[in-house]
Amino acid sequence: MSPAGSGSGSGSGSSRWSPTTEQLMILEELYRSGIRTPSASQIQQITTHLSFYGRIEGKNVFYWFQNHKARDRQKLRRKLTKQLQLQQQQQLHHCHLNPDITNHYFAAAAAAYSPCSSTPDFPFYNPPTFLFQGAGGSVNTSEQALNCAWREGVTFYNNGWSTPMNVNNQASSSSCCTSSSRPLKTLDLFPLTTTRTDEDCTTPPPK
Amino acid sequence: MSPAGSGSGSGSGSSRWSPTTEQLMILEELYRSGIRTPSASQIQQITTHLSFYGRIEGKNVFYWFQNHKARDRQKLRRKLTKQLQLQQQQQLHHCHLNPDITNHYFAAAAAAYSPCSSTPDFPFYNPPTFLFQGAGGSVNTSEQALNCAWREGVTFYNNGWSTPMNVNNQASSSSCCTSSSRPLKTLDLFPLTTTRTDEDCTTPPPK
DNA sequence: GCAAATTAATGATTTATTCAAG
DNA sequence: CTTGAATAAATCATTAATTTGC
C-alpha cells in the first residue's frame, strides 16, 4: 500500500500530516519491536528523530501508535471472528458437536495463541503499561514553539496545534520550560551512532 | 502507577486531586451554564480562576468535565432504559403489542426527546465540536512550571505531570513557550467584575 | 493520459469503559 | 460507592488509491 512517495508533503500546509515513507518505515519498525503506547518522552524522542525526514509533530506520533495499535487489534479480531465462524460451520457440518457450550472466548484465545500467526506480538496481551522508567519527562523539546498552553493536546482542539516547528531536528536544547535538573536518561530508542542496531528499541522492562 | 512525585512539589502530595466545595460549585455552575467540552484556553482560565480556592491543575478541570458529561449521560440513559422497560412491560401487559419489530433505538430516541426530561441538554445530540474559535491558544499560562514536553498531556502518563504550580494565579505572564504575539482574546468565562452574568459562557458559535 | 467520481486508508476527535484512590 | 485518571473503542474527516468515462 501507499507506494505513494507522496512527495513527502512538500505541499506545505495540508491540514493533516501524512508520513513520508521513511517515517513510516521507522514507525513500523518501532511498532514491530514492541512499542505500543510510547510514553511522553519516547514520543518526544521519536518525533525529534523523525523530524529529520519531514514535518512531524508529537501528536502525529501519538496518534499513529494509537491508531496502529487499535487497527491491528481490530484486524486480528475480525480475522478471528471469521475463522471462528468458519470453524463452527464446519464443525456443525461435520460431526455435529453440541453447540450449546459456547465457550467462544476460550476457543478464540486458543486460536490466537496456538496456530501460525506470524506476527510476533499480540497487542491485546501485552502488558498495557510498560516502558516506564522513573526517567521522568521534560525532555529538551526541539519543538520550542510548542504551546505550553496546557492541554492543547488532550482536548485535541486544534486551537494551538499548528506549531511552526522548524524542521530542524535536535540541536536547540532550548530549555524552554524544562524543569530544573533531570537525569535525562536517554532511552536509546535511537542509538546515537549511525549504526542501526535494529533490535534495541524499548525492550520493555518486566514492569 | 507512578504516584511519582505527584506531590506537586509541595509536601501535600495526595495522589489525586479532590475539589474543594467552592471549586466544585463553580465547576457545576459552569456545567449548568452549558459548558461541556471546554477548549484549552477555557480550561486555562477556569484553572487559573479555581486555583484561587486550592490546588488544581488543568488536567483536573479537563477530566472533571469529561467525567461529569459522561456520567450525566449515563445516568440519563440508565433512567431512560429503566423507564422504557417499564413501559414495555406495561404495554405487553396491556395491549400485547407484537414484540418482533424491535425498533428499540427509535423508541428510545423518541422517549428521550418527547417527554418531560427536565434536563435542558442532551449531551448525545449536542454538536460534537463546538467552542471553536480561531482564537488560538497560547494563553499566558499561569502554570509556568508546566512541562512543555510535548504530550505529557495526551498520553496521560504521569511522567511529567506533577507540575509544581505555585497556587498563585495569573500574574506571571511568563512567556514561557508562548508563541509570538496573539490576540489573547479573553473569553469572559469569568467576567472581571464581580457580577456574575451567569449566561455568558461559551455560547458556541454556529460552527 | 487525465480529471471527476468513488472507494479504501488512515489521521484526528469524541465517547465509552475500565482502573483505582478515598 | 463515588469519582478522578487513564485507556480503548467508535466515530468523524481528509487524503490517497482506484475506477470510470472521455
Side-chain angles (χ1 to χ4, degrees), chain A residues 69-177:
Chain A
K69 182 170 57 169
R71 282 165 182 152
D72 231 26
R73 222 174 342 211
Q74 146 182 321
K75 206 183 301 175
L76 188 83
R77 229 171 336 186
R78 217 171 295 183
K79 196 192 294 185
L80 283 177
T81 309
K82 201 168 285 182
Q83 210 166 324
L84 205 6
Q85 285 182 341
L86 260 174
Q87 278 187 342
Q88 282 187 333
Q89 279 189 348
Q90 288 186 343
Q91 285 187 346
L92 274 173
H93 225 256
H94 265 263
C95 45
H96 195 71
L97 292 173
N98 58 347
D100 57 346
I101 292 298
T102 73
N103 49 0
H104 294 170
Y105 294 114
F106 206 75
Y113 276 115
S114 56
C116 44
S117 78
S118 58
T119 62
D121 54 323
F122 290 100
F124 251 144
Y125 312 104
N126 271 343
T129 56
F130 54 106
L131 294 174
F132 269 88
Q133 270 99 348
S138 86
V139 287
N140 54 350
T141 164
S142 70
E143 311 187 8
Q144 44 180 316
L146 253 179
N147 310 34
C148 281
W150 176 59
R151 176 149 286 273
E152 302 290 343
V154 169
T155 50
F156 296 124
Y157 288 125
N158 268 344
N159 275 344
W161 264 123
S162 61
T163 72
M165 179 184 180
N166 295 330
V167 187
N168 268 320
N169 49 353
Q170 305 116 314
S172 74
S173 60
S174 71
S175 61
C176 164
C177 288

Side-chain angles (χ1 to χ4, degrees), chain B residues 5-57:
Chain B
S6 73
S8 71
S10 70
S12 69
S14 84
S15 59
R16 104 183 194 186
W17 168 70
S18 59
T20 69
T21 39
E22 278 141 328
Q23 286 175 336
L24 203 54
M25 277 177 50
I26 296 181
L27 284 173
E28 275 166 354
E29 186 169 323
L30 289 176
Y31 187 88
R32 269 196 304 279
S33 83
I35 295 189
R36 292 290 178 278
T37 309
S39 73
S41 23
Q42 287 181 303
I43 288 180
Q44 263 304 324
Q45 286 188 69
I46 298 172
T47 303
T48 300
H49 190 82
L50 291 190
S51 71
F52 182 74
Y53 301 101
R55 182 175 69 87
I56 191 174
E57 298 175 46

Side-chain angles (χ1 to χ4, degrees), chain A residues 37-41 43-44 58-59 62 132 137-138 144 146-155 157 159 161 176-177, chain B residues 37-40 43-44 58-59 62 132-133 136-138 146-155 157 159 161 176-177:
Chain A
T37 310
S39 73
S41 24
I43 287 179
Q44 262 306 324
K59 68 169 182 172
F62 172 79
F132 269 88
S138 86
Q144 44 180 316
L146 253 179
N147 310 34
C148 281
W150 176 59
R151 176 149 286 273
E152 302 290 343
V154 169
T155 50
Y157 288 125
N159 275 344
W161 264 123
C176 164
C177 288
Chain B
T37 309
S39 73
I43 288 180
Q44 263 304 324
K59 67 169 182 174
F62 172 78
F132 269 89
Q133 270 102 347
S138 86
L146 251 179
N147 310 32
C148 281
W150 176 58
R151 177 146 285 272
E152 304 292 344
V154 168
T155 50
Y157 288 126
N159 274 343
W161 265 124
C176 164
C177 287

Side-chain angles (χ1 to χ4, degrees), chain B:
Chain B
M1 58 185 75
S2 92
S6 73
S8 71
S10 70
S12 69
S14 84
S15 59
R16 104 183 194 186
W17 168 70
S18 59
T20 69
T21 39
E22 278 141 328
Q23 286 175 336
L24 203 54
M25 277 177 50
I26 296 181
L27 284 173
E28 275 166 354
E29 186 169 323
L30 289 176
Y31 187 88
R32 269 196 304 279
S33 83
I35 295 189
R36 292 290 178 278
T37 309
S39 73
S41 23
Q42 287 181 303
I43 288 180
Q44 263 304 324
Q45 286 188 69
I46 298 172
T47 303
T48 300
H49 190 82
L50 291 190
S51 71
F52 182 74
Y53 301 101
R55 182 175 69 87
I56 191 174
E57 298 175 46
K59 67 169 182 174
N60 305 131
V61 174
F62 172 78
Y63 284 136
W64 190 90
F65 276 98
Q66 285 275 96
N67 283 319
H68 205 72
K69 183 170 59 169
R71 279 163 185 154
D72 230 28
R73 219 174 345 208
Q74 146 181 321
K75 206 183 301 175
L76 189 83
R77 225 170 340 182
R78 218 171 292 182
K79 196 192 295 184
L80 284 177
T81 309
K82 201 167 285 182
Q83 211 167 324
L84 205 5
Q85 284 180 341
L86 261 175
Q87 278 187 344
Q88 281 187 335
Q89 278 188 347
Q90 288 185 342
Q91 284 188 346
L92 274 174
H93 225 255
H94 265 261
C95 45
H96 193 71
L97 292 173
N98 58 348
D100 59 345
I101 291 299
T102 73
N103 48 359
H104 295 168
Y105 294 115
F106 206 75
Y113 274 116
S114 55
C116 47
S117 78
S118 59
T119 64
D121 57 322
F122 290 99
F124 251 146
Y125 312 103
N126 269 345
T129 55
F130 55 106
L131 292 174
F132 269 89
Q133 270 102 347
S138 86
V139 287
N140 54 349
T141 165
S142 69
E143 311 187 9
Q144 41 179 319
L146 251 179
N147 310 32
C148 281
W150 176 58
R151 177 146 285 272
E152 304 292 344
V154 168
T155 50
F156 296 121
Y157 288 126
N158 268 344
N159 274 343
W161 265 124
S162 60
T163 73
M165 179 181 179
N166 295 331
V167 188
N168 269 320
N169 48 354
Q170 307 120 312
S172 74
S173 59
S174 72
S175 60
C176 164
C177 287
T178 57
S179 66
S180 49
S181 59
R182 287 302 186 86
L184 245 181
K185 178 179 182 182
T186 156
L187 288 180
D188 276 9
L189 266 175
F190 301 103
L192 296 178
T193 77
T194 47
T195 66
R196 186 64 66 75
T197 57
D198 193 287
E199 211 62 301
D200 55 357
C201 335
T202 73
T203 52
K207 171 174 184 152

Side-chain angles (χ1 to χ4, degrees), chain A residues 51-66:
Chain A
S51 73
F52 182 73
Y53 301 100
R55 183 174 67 86
I56 192 174
E57 299 174 44
K59 68 169 182 172
N60 305 130
V61 174
F62 172 79
Y63 286 137
W64 190 91
F65 277 97
Q66 284 275 95

